[in-house]
Amino acid sequence: MTTPDFINSHYSWHLLGKFELFLTLPLDHKRANKKNIYLEEIGDEPYIGLKSSYGVGSMIDTMFANQQITPRTVFQADELDTVAGLVSTGLGISFLPKTISLQSFPLVWLPVTAPECEVSVSVIWKKGDFFPKYPKYFLISFRIVRIRIGIFTRLKIPSQTKVRLGIFCILIHLFFT
């Protein structure tokens, strides 16, 4: 699974979804009480990013370049969890998708008013692959599991329990298909 930036003519792909990116701040940040933010407002804030070799990091770098903004990058991480942890300790701000696992970090999640701030995630496979049926099975499984997980997200239970239920659904579905 990747962002469309890494797809070329040698691969087939299918869009799984688009996810909004939020500006994440530590709880005690001076802008923590805002309802939303414009990209140019981050100014000279210390920025914690993802390495450009990762799809989300590349998309965020492109977003900054399109707005002619050069963030004051203090650290580039390999993992979303690392970024969330560093932001929550007050070392800087960042852009992150609001996933279930990242919501366990003590962060403020501000929607970005302009520009549009989202990331596309796709599943890709090599064209002419000897096993072309596997991506098809994965996509079918993904759609079924996404529906089942959608049911869990509406339940008032802890996030970790939702993740465990989602993983359980994936395993059950894979076992019986």
Side-chain angles (χ1 to χ4, degrees), residues 31 38-46 69-72 93:
R31 291 187 175 95
Y38 290 88
L39 186 60
E40 63 265 10
E41 287 182 69
I42 68 168
D44 199 31
E45 295 273 351
I69 295 172
T70 304
R72 188 167 62 94
I93 62 172

Side-chain angles (χ1 to χ4, degrees), residues 52 100 166:
S52 300
I100 291 173

Side-chain angles (χ1 to χ4, degrees), residues 142-174:
F142 178 80
R143 288 181 185 130
I144 291 169
V145 169
R146 188 168 59 177
I147 291 166
R148 291 179 183 164
I149 290 174
I151 294 167
F152 297 137
T153 59
R154 291 186 289 276
L155 298 175
K156 293 185 178 183
I157 55 177
S159 294
Q160 286 184 328
T161 304
K162 291 177 188 179
V163 170
R164 288 183 184 123
L165 287 170
I167 292 169
F168 177 73
C169 281
I170 292 169
L171 294 173
I172 292 298
H173 181 74
L174 292 175

Side-chain angles (χ1 to χ4, degrees), residues 2 9 12 16-17 26-27 39 42 44 56 70 81-82 88 90 98 102 104 118-119 130 148 155 159-160 176:
T2 186
S9 62
S12 296
L16 295 177
L27 296 177
L39 186 60
I42 68 168
D44 199 31
V56 176
T70 304
D81 288 347
T82 304
S88 69
K98 199 171 187 180
L102 295 179
S104 64
E118 65 180 19
V119 62
F130 184 69
R148 291 179 183 164
L155 298 175
S159 294
Q160 286 184 328
F176 288 108

Side-chain angles (χ1 to χ4, degrees), residues 18-19 34 43 47 79-80 102 106 177:
K18 293 185 177 195
F19 305 94
K34 290 187 70 135
Y47 178 73
E79 301 290 334
L80 294 173
L102 295 179
T177 55

Side-chain angles (χ1 to χ4, degrees), residues 102-119:
L102 295 179
Q103 289 181 50
S104 64
F105 288 90
L107 298 170
V108 174
W109 299 83
L110 289 181
V112 179
T113 303
E116 186 175 88
C117 201
E118 65 180 19
V119 62

